[in-house]
Structure formats: C-alpha cells, structure tokens
Amino acid sequence: MDFIEELKTLKTQVLISDSFKIPEHFDNIVISGMGGSGIVGKLFSELYHLKPVICLDDYDIPDFVGKNTVFIGISYSGNTEEAISCTKQALKKGAHVFVITSGGDLSKLSNERIVIPSGLQPRSAIGYMLMPLLNTFLNIDAEKRNSISNLINGVDLHHEEASQLGKEIANEKKIPVIYGFSPFRYVAYRWKTQFNENSKLMAINNYFPELNHNDTMSLRDTYLKETFFFITFGGSSGKISRRIDATEKVTSTTFHKVEPLGIDDIEKMFYLIHFGDYISLETAMIRNMDPRDVSSIEHLKSLIR
Amino acid sequence: MDFIEELKTLKTQVLISDSFKIPEHFDNIVISGMGGSGIVGKLFSELYHLKPVICLDDYDIPDFVGKNTVFIGISYSGNTEEAISCTKQALKKGAHVFVITSGGDLSKLSNERIVIPSGLQPRSAIGYMLMPLLNTFLNIDAEKRNSISNLINGVDLHHEEASQLGKEIANEKKIPVIYGFSPFRYVAYRWKTQFNENSKLMAINNYFPELNHNDTMSLRDTYLKETFFFITFGGSSGKISRRIDATEKVTSTTFHKVEPLGIDDIEKMFYLIHFGDYISLETAMIRNMDPRDVSSIEHLKSLIR
C-alpha cells in the first residue's frame, strides 16, 4: 500500500466502535506511548477534563500510579520498549491496565485490550488508536463517528489547499513553525512530527498563549527569520484569536491560517490532523523523499538494543 | 540593576526558606503560571511524583479541580491575566489555593501566599519562585539550599564555557536546538525561552526519548541543517546516554554536550539553568540586543487588553 492509500484509510478507522469497560471510581488516567502512538493520549488529554490525565513518553511511571489509576498502554507495533516498560510497572502497582495495539508483546500484558489492524505505519493508524479513548471517555456514538468519517472523506477529496501549503514549504525551502492553542496544541505537535517523519524536515511547534510570554520576543529581531514558515489554525476562542492577530502585528510576521471545518472540537481536531497529513505528504513528494521511510529510527533502535 | 547583576542574585534567591502548609490529604496538584513564572511548576513536575501534577499555561482550569486539589497560582508581577483567571476559578471550586508572587492582584486572592522581592525580570526570579515548591514538597533543608547556592556561585565565577557557546551561536548565526531528557526536559525549555527573551533569537527545544520517534528522522536529510546548533546535557541515565550517542551516529549530527555539576538532580537542574542564562546573555551582547527588553511582549499585552 502506498502512503497516500494509507492516509485514506483514516475515514474508515474512525468508525471503530471499540471501547474499554473502565471502573466506576478512579482518581487519574495515565497513558503511556511514544511518537505516532503516544500522541493519541496527548490529543485526548486536551478533550477530557474530568480527571487528571498524565501522558508518559519515557521508560518509567510516577510513584502515584496505583489501584485507583486507569492506565492505558498504547503501541501500534506492540513492541515499543518504553510503553512495555511502563505497562509492566503499572501492572506491578495494581493499576487497572488497558492496552491498545496491533499485537506484539504489549498485547500479552493485559486481557483488557483493543487489538487493531496491523500493516500501517503507526502514525497512519491514529484513528484506530484515538477512537477507543473517545468512545470510552467521551461517549462518542455511531452518528458522531459517521460525521467525523464524512468530514475526513472531504479532506481526501479536496486537499488542494493542503497540497499548496506543502508546495510552498518545499519550493521555498522553509522550516515549518506551527503554532497551536488549546485544544489543538497537540495537533501542532502532530504536524511537526509528520514533517519530521514524512518529509524528513526539521519543524517547530508551539502554542498560544504561552508563546506570547517568550517566543514573541524573538520574532521581530531573530536572524534567519526568512528560514521559517509560520502556520496557525482558525477555530480559536476570541481571546486567542486576538492574540494571534496581535502577535502578527507586534512582530511583523505573517501566519498562514488554516481554517478547520467541523461542528465541534473533536471534528475540527480530526480535520486539522488530516489536513496536515496532506501538507507533509506534498512536501515529501517535492523533496523526493519516501514518506514511509523511517530507516534512521529503525537504525537507532538497533543500536540501543 | 543591569542584567548580569540580576542573574547573580540567583545564588541568594535559592536560600529562601518559605514553604506552604499543605493539607495532609489531597489528590492532585495544579499549578498555574505563564512564561518565566510558569516554568517553575513545570520544572517541579519533573522532580515530584507522589501525586499527579498538572501545569496550566492558559486561561481555564480543568473540571476535576475541587476540594481535594492543591492549587498554586504563580505570577511574578501578580498581574498575569491567565494566572489570575485560573486562580479565581480554583477558589470558586473550593480548592486549597496558594499563591507565589511579588504583589499585584494575585497577592490579594489568597492569604496562603509567599510574597517575594520585586524589581527583577520574572525570568530572573526563578529561584524565588521554585524554592517554595521544593521546600514544601521535597523537604529541602538549609544545608541543601546552601549547597545549591555555592554551586550557583561557581557558575557566576566560572562562566567561560557558557559564554563560549553563546559566542559560537551568535558569531555563526545559528538557531539553538536544545535536547533535554527527564528530569531536565524543562531545563531545555528554559534555555529556549531565555534565547527568545534575552537574545531575541528563535530557538527549539525537544526531549529524549520521544524525539527519537520523530525528530530523528529529519536530522539526516533536512535542508537548512547548517542553520541549527544542537545542544544536549550530560548527567543522563545509561539508557538516555546511549540514545544520545546513537542519535549523533545515525543522523551524522554533532551535539554540544554540557556536563552539569551537582550531586543530585536538583543541583544539576540549577546548574544547567544558570549555565543557560550565561549562554543567552553572551549571545545577546554579541548581537547588541538588550537582554532586559521585552517591549514586544508588553506591546502585545496592551493590544489584547
């Protein structure tokens, strides 16, 4: 399957209805995962606010994890050493342990598992991994899943605007700088990682309003400013929207603004994620880079084993 | 007071012994603050693991905040609108509310307050704001505070290595890329923000091992690679140390490695923070930038008021 066909599976991925049976009472949610798998916990943490959600992207769990913790280990391959290490530790501490994976060692660590189809790049399986969290904790129903799927289908059919941005970045040899804001902070991070992996390109992500307390001071006077290509999203609150406009004015910087379609934050999140997929794909194609190639990451894993 | 004199107050700042009387039982800690004030919550979150620590750098608090939450509002000026908004919301929800500030509206919101000396740039008051958290939750004693102070005094007296890095960055017109790892992820972020505010320079921060799942894929083939100046720290675990070496090898990239002095993570954290202060100051001086100037940030605040 070539990479664009992989991307186009997202509209069917978001239809999966699997969910976990979580305990009625718990104190916190801890989600472990790396890279293209770990980001689903981070995206979820911006949508769910009824309990503290702590996302781990390292080898160890914090001391507070215990019997009142809902712990979710996520690894598409099921063989990510950081996620396996954390999941084993959570089991020892007596947490309620759930896993999302296509197989591997992780699938053997808990009977409370959702097994998703294999054969994709982990970063292309974002729908398979994110929907179980939304189904479980946000009570997403079939109607909402269909609505998300239709929205994504629209991006597949009409991705000219995304491709145009990808062309500009590659043709002008720019480093993308993606400025998000809640609940799309990790959408900006997703875009950054897609530029890294698909386009083999350095990229930067940051978020409002925090960036107005530091980054903003650099934009007017930094050298190499022409190196960067600034992107932010529409769909923000009035407060953030005013900040975006004021930042452009104060720093004499122009931001490319991507306006998300969608009737709520979840839909806008998926729209923006998929829009970014097509930007990074276009940039990869113009650069003659294979978007599926992750040989450096595989090489590194072999060196540290 | 000129900026270097501000920096040199850090060794006396870390001697403050103030702490909060926190309730015996609580479920989570929520810390609100922006920029140079907010970072102390983030640094603390990497050192304390007995309860979930959620750091807020936006206007609103999550739904779970309630009577079992220890909430700490931090703003050096006491007039940061995001921190004031969150603190007011936390009071309404019945949280145990504490504040750290030099004055302003925030100081009026809770009697459980630590009032610190005014007159510094917020980012130069990091010791005044971080120590109360360490004193309260990590039981730091006078002996440890003296030890940190002596270490910082050593950086003040011998900052040639830091200044040399600052010179290289400015003279070669490079964008600093700082790669941290736990518990120094937010030290990397601190360096990035110091380059922004003091040197008026774009900068990038990221952390191991997460960056090995995405960023790594870009370092070999990105264009404009000569634009960037890569820095990481010593003092990591064996696992992270192996990752750092493997990343250099796989991507044909050289990282400048700063070796922290100090006998534990807290001391190493302060050493690295202060070392980074001197790098960003040197870069500012060579660029003829006033490190104290934050006029763009002030201009922006006036526009959105």
Side-chain angles (χ1 to χ4, degrees), chain A residues 159-199:
Chain A
H159 55 80
E160 298 82 8
E161 184 195 346
S163 298
Q164 183 55 38
L165 280 177
K167 278 192 186 70
E168 283 181 46
I169 290 165
N171 288 334
E172 299 171 20
K173 286 202 167 34
K174 300 269 190 170
I175 299 294
V177 179
I178 311 112
Y179 285 162
F181 44 80
S182 195
F184 308 131
R185 294 175 175 202
Y186 287 106
V187 172
Y189 181 65
R190 162 77 176 186
W191 283 31
K192 178 253 176 211
T193 60
Q194 291 287 73
F195 280 117
N196 293 156
E197 290 190 80
N198 298 343
S199 321

mmCIF file of all heavy atoms in Angstrom, chain A residues 159-199:
data_model
loop_
_atom_site.group_PDB
_atom_site.id
_atom_site.type_symbol
_atom_site.label_atom_id
_atom_site.label_comp_id
_atom_site.label_asym_id
_atom_site.label_seq_id
_atom_site.Cartn_x
_atom_site.Cartn_y
_atom_site.Cartn_z
ATOM 1 N N HIS A 159 -7.996 18.164 -1.156
ATOM 2 C CA HIS A 159 -6.825 18.527 -0.365
ATOM 3 C C HIS A 159 -5.893 19.483 -1.122
ATOM 4 O O HIS A 159 -4.697 19.548 -0.847
ATOM 5 C CB HIS A 159 -6.088 17.281 0.120
ATOM 6 C CG HIS A 159 -5.679 16.322 -0.947
ATOM 7 N ND1 HIS A 159 -4.565 16.523 -1.714
ATOM 8 C CD2 HIS A 159 -6.252 15.183 -1.391
ATOM 9 C CE1 HIS A 159 -4.459 15.522 -2.585
ATOM 10 N NE2 HIS A 159 -5.459 14.712 -2.416
ATOM 11 N N GLU A 160 -6.479 20.248 -2.027
ATOM 12 C CA GLU A 160 -5.642 21.160 -2.838
ATOM 13 C C GLU A 160 -4.997 22.237 -1.970
ATOM 14 O O GLU A 160 -3.831 22.582 -2.160
ATOM 15 C CB GLU A 160 -6.479 21.845 -3.939
ATOM 16 C CG GLU A 160 -7.097 20.898 -4.953
ATOM 17 C CD GLU A 160 -8.392 20.265 -4.447
ATOM 18 O OE1 GLU A 160 -8.890 20.675 -3.384
ATOM 19 O OE2 GLU A 160 -8.904 19.337 -5.106
ATOM 20 N N GLU A 161 -5.768 22.791 -1.003
ATOM 21 C CA GLU A 161 -5.213 23.860 -0.167
ATOM 22 C C GLU A 161 -4.035 23.323 0.651
ATOM 23 O O GLU A 161 -3.003 23.994 0.781
ATOM 24 C CB GLU A 161 -6.298 24.424 0.773
ATOM 25 C CG GLU A 161 -5.821 25.610 1.608
ATOM 26 C CD GLU A 161 -6.779 25.925 2.778
ATOM 27 O OE1 GLU A 161 -7.912 25.418 2.790
ATOM 28 O OE2 GLU A 161 -6.347 26.658 3.691
ATOM 29 N N ALA A 162 -4.208 22.108 1.175
ATOM 30 C CA ALA A 162 -3.123 21.493 1.941
ATOM 31 C C ALA A 162 -1.908 21.271 1.046
ATOM 32 O O ALA A 162 -0.773 21.611 1.415
ATOM 33 C CB ALA A 162 -3.592 20.174 2.547
ATOM 34 N N SER A 163 -2.138 20.728 -0.130
ATOM 35 C CA SER A 163 -1.018 20.448 -1.029
ATOM 36 C C SER A 163 -0.304 21.735 -1.427
ATOM 37 O O SER A 163 0.921 21.763 -1.583
ATOM 38 C CB SER A 163 -1.515 19.712 -2.275
ATOM 39 O OG SER A 163 -2.084 18.478 -1.902
ATOM 40 N N GLN A 164 -1.074 22.805 -1.576
ATOM 41 C CA GLN A 164 -0.483 24.094 -1.940
ATOM 42 C C GLN A 164 0.486 24.577 -0.852
ATOM 43 O O GLN A 164 1.597 25.035 -1.153
ATOM 44 C CB GLN A 164 -1.615 25.115 -2.152
ATOM 45 C CG GLN A 164 -1.146 26.482 -2.611
ATOM 46 C CD GLN A 164 -0.295 26.402 -3.892
ATOM 47 O OE1 GLN A 164 -0.575 25.610 -4.799
ATOM 48 N NE2 GLN A 164 0.766 27.199 -3.941
ATOM 49 N N LEU A 165 0.086 24.425 0.403
ATOM 50 C CA LEU A 165 0.988 24.800 1.510
ATOM 51 C C LEU A 165 2.257 23.944 1.481
ATOM 52 O O LEU A 165 3.364 24.447 1.683
ATOM 53 C CB LEU A 165 0.284 24.629 2.862
ATOM 54 C CG LEU A 165 -0.664 25.745 3.301
ATOM 55 C CD1 LEU A 165 -1.319 25.371 4.629
ATOM 56 C CD2 LEU A 165 0.091 27.069 3.461
ATOM 57 N N GLY A 166 2.061 22.646 1.233
ATOM 58 C CA GLY A 166 3.206 21.732 1.158
ATOM 59 C C GLY A 166 4.170 22.134 0.047
ATOM 60 O O GLY A 166 5.398 22.058 0.205
ATOM 61 N N LYS A 167 3.622 22.559 -1.068
ATOM 62 C CA LYS A 167 4.445 23.020 -2.202
ATOM 63 C C LYS A 167 5.247 24.253 -1.817
ATOM 64 O O LYS A 167 6.437 24.355 -2.090
ATOM 65 C CB LYS A 167 3.545 23.381 -3.401
ATOM 66 C CG LYS A 167 3.111 22.218 -4.257
ATOM 67 C CD LYS A 167 2.480 22.734 -5.572
ATOM 68 C CE LYS A 167 1.914 21.565 -6.381
ATOM 69 N NZ LYS A 167 0.711 20.969 -5.756
ATOM 70 N N GLU A 168 4.583 25.217 -1.181
ATOM 71 C CA GLU A 168 5.279 26.460 -0.805
ATOM 72 C C GLU A 168 6.454 26.165 0.121
ATOM 73 O O GLU A 168 7.547 26.705 -0.047
ATOM 74 C CB GLU A 168 4.315 27.425 -0.090
ATOM 75 C CG GLU A 168 3.379 28.148 -1.036
ATOM 76 C CD GLU A 168 2.461 29.124 -0.290
ATOM 77 O OE1 GLU A 168 2.933 29.875 0.567
ATOM 78 O OE2 GLU A 168 1.242 29.090 -0.581
ATOM 79 N N ILE A 169 6.194 25.310 1.110
ATOM 80 C CA ILE A 169 7.250 24.986 2.078
ATOM 81 C C ILE A 169 8.444 24.353 1.386
ATOM 82 O O ILE A 169 9.594 24.746 1.609
ATOM 83 C CB ILE A 169 6.684 24.061 3.182
ATOM 84 C CG1 ILE A 169 5.710 24.849 4.060
ATOM 85 C CG2 ILE A 169 7.800 23.447 4.019
ATOM 86 C CD1 ILE A 169 4.825 23.985 4.932
ATOM 87 N N ALA A 170 8.183 23.382 0.507
ATOM 88 C CA ALA A 170 9.282 22.668 -0.151
ATOM 89 C C ALA A 170 9.972 23.548 -1.191
ATOM 90 O O ALA A 170 11.198 23.586 -1.267
ATOM 91 C CB ALA A 170 8.759 21.388 -0.793
ATOM 92 N N ASN A 171 9.188 24.258 -1.986
ATOM 93 C CA ASN A 171 9.798 25.045 -3.062
ATOM 94 C C ASN A 171 10.602 26.217 -2.518
ATOM 95 O O ASN A 171 11.619 26.598 -3.091
ATOM 96 C CB ASN A 171 8.720 25.557 -4.029
ATOM 97 C CG ASN A 171 8.157 24.426 -4.879
ATOM 98 O OD1 ASN A 171 8.827 23.411 -5.115
ATOM 99 N ND2 ASN A 171 6.919 24.578 -5.319
ATOM 100 N N GLU A 172 10.136 26.778 -1.405
ATOM 101 C CA GLU A 172 10.851 27.921 -0.816
ATOM 102 C C GLU A 172 11.852 27.473 0.248
ATOM 103 O O GLU A 172 12.457 28.302 0.921
ATOM 104 C CB GLU A 172 9.845 28.925 -0.247
ATOM 105 C CG GLU A 172 8.905 29.491 -1.295
ATOM 106 C CD GLU A 172 7.769 30.307 -0.683
ATOM 107 O OE1 GLU A 172 7.903 30.751 0.475
ATOM 108 O OE2 GLU A 172 6.742 30.486 -1.378
ATOM 109 N N LYS A 173 11.995 26.156 0.418
ATOM 110 C CA LYS A 173 12.934 25.590 1.414
ATOM 111 C C LYS A 173 12.773 26.270 2.781
ATOM 112 O O LYS A 173 13.713 26.871 3.320
ATOM 113 C CB LYS A 173 14.382 25.723 0.930
ATOM 114 C CG LYS A 173 14.777 24.774 -0.181
ATOM 115 C CD LYS A 173 16.288 24.591 -0.204
ATOM 116 C CE LYS A 173 16.761 23.437 -1.066
ATOM 117 N NZ LYS A 173 15.989 23.157 -2.281
ATOM 118 N N LYS A 174 11.590 26.129 3.348
ATOM 119 C CA LYS A 174 11.294 26.748 4.643
ATOM 120 C C LYS A 174 11.189 25.680 5.725
ATOM 121 O O LYS A 174 10.816 24.531 5.448
ATOM 122 C CB LYS A 174 9.960 27.496 4.569
ATOM 123 C CG LYS A 174 9.929 28.611 3.538
ATOM 124 C CD LYS A 174 10.361 29.927 4.135
ATOM 125 C CE LYS A 174 10.078 31.037 3.125
ATOM 126 N NZ LYS A 174 10.259 32.360 3.708
ATOM 127 N N ILE A 175 11.470 26.096 6.952
ATOM 128 C CA ILE A 175 11.247 25.257 8.139
ATOM 129 C C ILE A 175 9.864 25.619 8.692
ATOM 130 O O ILE A 175 9.642 26.759 9.100
ATOM 131 C CB ILE A 175 12.326 25.527 9.208
ATOM 132 C CG1 ILE A 175 13.727 25.184 8.677
ATOM 133 C CG2 ILE A 175 12.017 24.752 10.496
ATOM 134 C CD1 ILE A 175 13.971 23.721 8.387
ATOM 135 N N PRO A 176 8.922 24.651 8.726
ATOM 136 C CA PRO A 176 7.585 24.967 9.235
ATOM 137 C C PRO A 176 7.595 25.251 10.744
ATOM 138 O O PRO A 176 8.248 24.542 11.502
ATOM 139 C CB PRO A 176 6.775 23.693 8.951
ATOM 140 C CG PRO A 176 7.597 22.892 7.990
ATOM 141 C CD PRO A 176 9.020 23.265 8.239
ATOM 142 N N VAL A 177 6.880 26.285 11.122
ATOM 143 C CA VAL A 177 6.669 26.623 12.544
ATOM 144 C C VAL A 177 5.165 26.612 12.753
ATOM 145 O O VAL A 177 4.454 27.445 12.184
ATOM 146 C CB VAL A 177 7.231 28.015 12.882
ATOM 147 C CG1 VAL A 177 6.986 28.342 14.355
ATOM 148 C CG2 VAL A 177 8.713 28.101 12.544
ATOM 149 N N ILE A 178 4.665 25.661 13.534
ATOM 150 C CA ILE A 178 3.222 25.500 13.683
ATOM 151 C C ILE A 178 2.814 25.935 15.087
ATOM 152 O O ILE A 178 3.271 25.377 16.081
ATOM 153 C CB ILE A 178 2.791 24.039 13.434
ATOM 154 C CG1 ILE A 178 3.407 23.533 12.130
ATOM 155 C CG2 ILE A 178 1.268 23.942 13.394
ATOM 156 C CD1 ILE A 178 4.459 22.462 12.310
ATOM 157 N N TYR A 179 1.964 26.939 15.146
ATOM 158 C CA TYR A 179 1.504 27.497 16.417
ATOM 159 C C TYR A 179 0.071 27.034 16.687
ATOM 160 O O TYR A 179 -0.870 27.471 16.029
ATOM 161 C CB TYR A 179 1.551 29.020 16.382
ATOM 162 C CG TYR A 179 2.931 29.636 16.505
ATOM 163 C CD1 TYR A 179 3.153 30.962 16.129
ATOM 164 C CD2 TYR A 179 4.010 28.922 17.027
ATOM 165 C CE1 TYR A 179 4.406 31.552 16.269
ATOM 166 C CE2 TYR A 179 5.260 29.506 17.157
ATOM 167 C CZ TYR A 179 5.457 30.817 16.789
ATOM 168 O OH TYR A 179 6.696 31.406 16.926
ATOM 169 N N GLY A 180 -0.107 26.159 17.674
ATOM 170 C CA GLY A 180 -1.436 25.702 18.057
ATOM 171 C C GLY A 180 -1.964 26.488 19.252
ATOM 172 O O GLY A 180 -1.392 27.496 19.667
ATOM 173 N N PHE A 181 -3.059 26.006 19.780
ATOM 174 C CA PHE A 181 -3.661 26.542 21.010
ATOM 175 C C PHE A 181 -4.640 25.482 21.455
ATOM 176 O O PHE A 181 -5.055 24.626 20.666
ATOM 177 C CB PHE A 181 -4.365 27.885 20.751
ATOM 178 C CG PHE A 181 -5.189 27.911 19.498
ATOM 179 C CD1 PHE A 181 -6.450 27.349 19.468
ATOM 180 C CD2 PHE A 181 -4.669 28.462 18.331
ATOM 181 C CE1 PHE A 181 -7.188 27.354 18.292
ATOM 182 C CE2 PHE A 181 -5.405 28.459 17.150
ATOM 183 C CZ PHE A 181 -6.673 27.903 17.135
ATOM 184 N N SER A 182 -5.008 25.526 22.721
ATOM 185 C CA SER A 182 -5.893 24.503 23.259
ATOM 186 C C SER A 182 -7.265 24.560 22.584
ATOM 187 O O SER A 182 -7.788 25.659 22.408
ATOM 188 C CB SER A 182 -6.050 24.708 24.760
ATOM 189 O OG SER A 182 -6.599 23.568 25.338
ATOM 190 N N PRO A 183 -7.902 23.466 22.171
ATOM 191 C CA PRO A 183 -7.482 22.071 22.335
ATOM 192 C C PRO A 183 -6.695 21.522 21.146
ATOM 193 O O PRO A 183 -6.733 20.310 20.898
ATOM 194 C CB PRO A 183 -8.827 21.352 22.468
ATOM 195 C CG PRO A 183 -9.735 22.119 21.553
ATOM 196 C CD PRO A 183 -9.255 23.547 21.569
ATOM 197 N N PHE A 184 -5.987 22.375 20.430
ATOM 198 C CA PHE A 184 -5.245 21.910 19.250
ATOM 199 C C PHE A 184 -3.728 22.038 19.415
ATOM 200 O O PHE A 184 -2.999 22.142 18.433
ATOM 201 C CB PHE A 184 -5.695 22.684 18.006
ATOM 202 C CG PHE A 184 -7.178 22.694 17.776
ATOM 203 C CD1 PHE A 184 -7.852 23.884 17.515
ATOM 204 C CD2 PHE A 184 -7.922 21.520 17.845
ATOM 205 C CE1 PHE A 184 -9.225 23.899 17.317
ATOM 206 C CE2 PHE A 184 -9.299 21.525 17.655
ATOM 207 C CZ PHE A 184 -9.958 22.717 17.389
ATOM 208 N N ARG A 185 -3.263 22.065 20.690
ATOM 209 C CA ARG A 185 -1.813 22.137 20.896
ATOM 210 C C ARG A 185 -1.108 20.938 20.279
ATOM 211 O O ARG A 185 -0.056 21.062 19.663
ATOM 212 C CB ARG A 185 -1.490 22.090 22.387
ATOM 213 C CG ARG A 185 -1.973 23.259 23.151
ATOM 214 C CD ARG A 185 -1.682 23.024 24.621
ATOM 215 N NE ARG A 185 -2.051 24.204 25.365
ATOM 216 C CZ ARG A 185 -1.567 24.515 26.553
ATOM 217 N NH1 ARG A 185 -0.698 23.712 27.140
ATOM 218 N NH2 ARG A 185 -1.934 25.602 27.155
ATOM 219 N N TYR A 186 -1.703 19.772 20.503
ATOM 220 C CA TYR A 186 -1.038 18.560 20.031
ATOM 221 C C TYR A 186 -1.330 18.277 18.564
ATOM 222 O O TYR A 186 -0.689 17.421 17.959
ATOM 223 C CB TYR A 186 -1.356 17.370 20.945
ATOM 224 C CG TYR A 186 -0.605 17.519 22.245
ATOM 225 C CD1 TYR A 186 -1.265 17.888 23.411
ATOM 226 C CD2 TYR A 186 0.764 17.355 22.289
ATOM 227 C CE1 TYR A 186 -0.574 18.073 24.597
ATOM 228 C CE2 TYR A 186 1.474 17.526 23.463
ATOM 229 C CZ TYR A 186 0.799 17.887 24.615
ATOM 230 O OH TYR A 186 1.508 18.069 25.775
ATOM 231 N N VAL A 187 -2.284 18.987 17.980
ATOM 232 C CA VAL A 187 -2.405 18.968 16.522
ATOM 233 C C VAL A 187 -1.156 19.627 15.922
ATOM 234 O O VAL A 187 -0.562 19.113 14.967
ATOM 235 C CB VAL A 187 -3.675 19.701 16.048
ATOM 236 C CG1 VAL A 187 -3.663 19.843 14.531
ATOM 237 C CG2 VAL A 187 -4.932 18.967 16.510
ATOM 238 N N ALA A 188 -0.718 20.733 16.520
ATOM 239 C CA ALA A 188 0.512 21.389 16.050
ATOM 240 C C ALA A 188 1.701 20.440 16.207
ATOM 241 O O ALA A 188 2.562 20.352 15.322
ATOM 242 C CB ALA A 188 0.749 22.684 16.829
ATOM 243 N N TYR A 189 1.725 19.707 17.319
ATOM 244 C CA TYR A 189 2.803 18.730 17.519
ATOM 245 C C TYR A 189 2.723 17.606 16.482
ATOM 246 O O TYR A 189 3.737 17.179 15.926
ATOM 247 C CB TYR A 189 2.731 18.166 18.943
ATOM 248 C CG TYR A 189 3.830 17.175 19.246
ATOM 249 C CD1 TYR A 189 5.161 17.583 19.280
ATOM 250 C CD2 TYR A 189 3.549 15.831 19.470
ATOM 251 C CE1 TYR A 189 6.173 16.672 19.540
ATOM 252 C CE2 TYR A 189 4.555 14.922 19.731
ATOM 253 C CZ TYR A 189 5.867 15.349 19.767
ATOM 254 O OH TYR A 189 6.871 14.446 20.019
ATOM 255 N N ARG A 190 1.505 17.141 16.206
ATOM 256 C CA ARG A 190 1.314 16.112 15.179
ATOM 257 C C ARG A 190 1.859 16.587 13.827
ATOM 258 O O ARG A 190 2.547 15.839 13.132
ATOM 259 C CB ARG A 190 -0.174 15.790 15.065
ATOM 260 C CG ARG A 190 -0.616 15.087 13.805
ATOM 261 C CD ARG A 190 -0.286 13.605 13.792
ATOM 262 N NE ARG A 190 -0.824 12.978 12.580
ATOM 263 C CZ ARG A 190 -0.800 11.690 12.339
ATOM 264 N NH1 ARG A 190 -0.262 10.852 13.194
ATOM 265 N NH2 ARG A 190 -1.308 11.210 11.229
ATOM 266 N N TRP A 191 1.540 17.824 13.456
ATOM 267 C CA TRP A 191 2.049 18.350 12.189
ATOM 268 C C TRP A 191 3.575 18.338 12.178
ATOM 269 O O TRP A 191 4.202 17.975 11.193
ATOM 270 C CB TRP A 191 1.552 19.785 11.963
ATOM 271 C CG TRP A 191 0.134 19.892 11.517
ATOM 272 C CD1 TRP A 191 -0.899 19.047 11.820
ATOM 273 C CD2 TRP A 191 -0.424 20.924 10.692
ATOM 274 N NE1 TRP A 191 -2.060 19.496 11.246
ATOM 275 C CE2 TRP A 191 -1.787 20.646 10.542
ATOM 276 C CE3 TRP A 191 0.100 22.056 10.087
ATOM 277 C CZ2 TRP A 191 -2.648 21.459 9.800
ATOM 278 C CZ3 TRP A 191 -0.737 22.882 9.352
ATOM 279 C CH2 TRP A 191 -2.100 22.575 9.203
ATOM 280 N N LYS A 192 4.142 18.788 13.297
ATOM 281 C CA LYS A 192 5.607 18.817 13.409
ATOM 282 C C LYS A 192 6.181 17.416 13.200
ATOM 283 O O LYS A 192 7.135 17.233 12.442
ATOM 284 C CB LYS A 192 5.975 19.376 14.787
ATOM 285 C CG LYS A 192 7.463 19.430 15.092
ATOM 286 C CD LYS A 192 7.822 18.364 16.097
ATOM 287 C CE LYS A 192 9.310 18.326 16.360
ATOM 288 N NZ LYS A 192 9.759 16.957 16.684
ATOM 289 N N THR A 193 5.594 16.418 13.843
ATOM 290 C CA THR A 193 6.135 15.064 13.715
ATOM 291 C C THR A 193 5.901 14.501 12.312
ATOM 292 O O THR A 193 6.702 13.714 11.819
ATOM 293 C CB THR A 193 5.544 14.107 14.768
ATOM 294 O OG1 THR A 193 4.122 14.024 14.609
ATOM 295 C CG2 THR A 193 5.867 14.564 16.172
ATOM 296 N N GLN A 194 4.823 14.886 11.666
ATOM 297 C CA GLN A 194 4.585 14.436 10.291
ATOM 298 C C GLN A 194 5.601 15.054 9.334
ATOM 299 O O GLN A 194 6.073 14.392 8.409
ATOM 300 C CB GLN A 194 3.150 14.770 9.846
ATOM 301 C CG GLN A 194 2.068 13.950 10.552
ATOM 302 C CD GLN A 194 2.023 12.498 10.086
ATOM 303 O OE1 GLN A 194 2.909 11.696 10.414
ATOM 304 N NE2 GLN A 194 1.016 12.138 9.331
ATOM 305 N N PHE A 195 5.943 16.326 9.543
ATOM 306 C CA PHE A 195 7.025 16.919 8.731
ATOM 307 C C PHE A 195 8.327 16.157 8.966
ATOM 308 O O PHE A 195 9.090 15.903 8.042
ATOM 309 C CB PHE A 195 7.204 18.407 9.051
ATOM 310 C CG PHE A 195 6.198 19.303 8.382
ATOM 311 C CD1 PHE A 195 5.311 20.064 9.125
ATOM 312 C CD2 PHE A 195 6.137 19.397 6.992
ATOM 313 C CE1 PHE A 195 4.378 20.895 8.513
ATOM 314 C CE2 PHE A 195 5.204 20.226 6.368
ATOM 315 C CZ PHE A 195 4.321 20.979 7.133
ATOM 316 N N ASN A 196 8.596 15.809 10.241
ATOM 317 C CA ASN A 196 9.818 15.059 10.551
ATOM 318 C C ASN A 196 9.844 13.717 9.807
ATOM 319 O O ASN A 196 10.801 13.408 9.097
ATOM 320 C CB ASN A 196 9.899 14.749 12.051
ATOM 321 C CG ASN A 196 10.078 15.955 12.955
ATOM 322 O OD1 ASN A 196 9.720 15.907 14.118
ATOM 323 N ND2 ASN A 196 10.629 17.045 12.438
ATOM 324 N N GLU A 197 8.792 12.935 10.005
ATOM 325 C CA GLU A 197 8.829 11.555 9.512
ATOM 326 C C GLU A 197 8.488 11.435 8.034
ATOM 327 O O GLU A 197 9.123 10.676 7.307
ATOM 328 C CB GLU A 197 7.872 10.678 10.335
ATOM 329 C CG GLU A 197 8.359 10.458 11.752
ATOM 330 C CD GLU A 197 7.550 9.397 12.472
ATOM 331 O OE1 GLU A 197 7.797 8.194 12.265
ATOM 332 O OE2 GLU A 197 6.629 9.766 13.228
ATOM 333 N N ASN A 198 7.486 12.150 7.573
ATOM 334 C CA ASN A 198 7.084 12.024 6.174
ATOM 335 C C ASN A 198 8.000 12.821 5.243
ATOM 336 O O ASN A 198 8.419 12.324 4.204
ATOM 337 C CB ASN A 198 5.643 12.503 5.972
ATOM 338 C CG ASN A 198 4.647 11.668 6.752
ATOM 339 O OD1 ASN A 198 4.957 10.570 7.192
ATOM 340 N ND2 ASN A 198 3.447 12.208 6.943
ATOM 341 N N SER A 199 8.286 14.073 5.635
ATOM 342 C CA SER A 199 9.017 14.983 4.738
ATOM 343 C C SER A 199 10.512 15.026 5.038
ATOM 344 O O SER A 199 11.256 15.669 4.306
ATOM 345 C CB SER A 199 8.454 16.403 4.864
ATOM 346 O OG SER A 199 7.055 16.420 4.992
#
